[in-house]
Amino acid sequence: MTRIGIIIGSTRPGRNGEAVARWVYDIATKRGDARYELVDIKDFNLPHLDEMAPPSLGQYTQPHTLRWAEKVASFDGYVIVTPEYNHSTSGALKNAIDFLYAEWNNKAVGFVSYGSVGGTRAVEHLRLVVAELQMADVRAQVALSLFTDFENFSVFKPGAHQEGAVNTMLDQLDAWSGALATLRAGTTMATPQSGA
C-alpha cells in the first residue's frame, strides 16, 4: 500500500501547523487508499545544514541527517503543511528539505498552506524547490486563510468546503504516488552513507 507522510512544516512555538496537519491526517485516514503518517520536522532537531558534502552525493555523516533520510525515504509521497512567512515558506521547512536529495526523487507531493492569503505564495516557492528535487507536485492545493479558517488567527476552524479540497488533493497525490512507483522501481536510490 502507498505510504504518504504528512509533514508539519513549522517549528515555531504556538504554531498553527500541528492542528492543520492533524486535521489533514484525520481526513486522510478515513479514505483507505494509502497509509498516512504525521511527520513533525521539530522531532528531528535538524540544525542549519551541517553536512560537508552536497546532499546529491548521499554521503551523510550526521546522526540527525541519517535519521531524517531514513524517515523521508520510507514514503512514496508527501503532503507538506506549510505556513507563509514573508511571502515564502518557513526557514525550518526549507532547511529540512535541503538536507536530502535522492530520498525525495520521483515522488509526489501535495500542499496544504495557511496564511493571510492562504499561504499560496509559500507554495509557489515550494513548487520550484520540489521540481529541482525531481518531485511531481499535484495541481490541487488546500489554501487556508487566517481570516476565515481560524478564529482570532490562532484557533483552527476550517470552513466546511475545505474537506473537499483536501480530498481532491489526496486523490491526485495518491494517483501520482502510485504512477511514480514504477519509475522508482527502475532506478537505484543512493543509500545514505557515513562519510570517511
Side-chain angles (χ1 to χ4, degrees):
M1 183 176 273
T2 303
R3 287 180 42 82
I4 304 292
I6 301 172
I7 298 174
I8 304 171
S10 171
T11 58
R12 182 181 60 81
R15 62 192 174 164
N16 291 315
E18 187 171 355
V20 173
R22 290 188 184 285
W23 170 72
V24 172
Y25 177 80
D26 289 343
I27 294 169
T29 54
K30 294 175 190 169
R31 294 168 52 91
D33 57 349
R35 284 185 294 167
Y36 296 90
E37 181 181 331
L38 285 170
V39 180
D40 192 343
I41 61 174
K42 188 176 181 181
D43 293 340
F44 291 84
N45 296 314
L46 297 169
H48 192 70
L49 189 58
D50 63 348
E51 292 285 351
M52 292 292 291
S56 59
L57 296 178
Q59 297 173 354
Y60 307 142
T61 61
Q62 301 295 335
H64 50 260
T65 310
L66 293 165
R67 193 167 146 255
W68 177 234
E70 181 179 15
K71 177 55 71 179
V72 170
S74 72
F75 297 109
D76 301 300
Y78 313 91
V79 174
I80 294 179
V81 177
T82 181
E84 182 174 310
Y85 298 155
N86 300 319
H87 289 217
S88 191
T89 191
S90 74
L93 176 59
K94 179 64 165 64
N95 186 57
I97 292 170
D98 288 345
F99 258 93
L100 309 177
Y101 181 72
E103 294 77 11
W104 300 116
N105 293 174
N106 300 318
K107 295 181 182 178
V109 60
F111 298 101
V112 177
S113 58
Y114 56 95
S116 59
V117 291
T120 55
R121 296 169 297 199
V123 170
E124 288 307 305
H125 282 186
L126 284 169
R127 288 185 191 280
L128 294 171
V129 173
V130 300
E132 180 62 19
L133 294 169
Q134 301 182 58
M135 299 177 80
D137 56 313
V138 301
R139 181 179 184 275
Q141 174 185 342
V142 182
L144 301 163
S145 169
L146 290 176
F147 294 100
T148 59
D149 294 304
F150 292 83
E151 185 177 278
N152 297 321
F153 303 101
S154 59
V155 179
F156 183 49
K157 294 191 174 179
H161 67 286
Q162 296 288 17
E163 184 168 345
V166 171
N167 278 306
T168 299
M169 181 270 295
L170 292 175
D171 287 344
Q172 293 178 9
L173 181 62
D174 186 55
W176 277 91
S177 295
L180 289 168
T182 55
L183 183 59
R184 289 193 308 278
T187 62
T188 304
M189 186 178 82
T191 304
Q193 306 167 13
S194 294

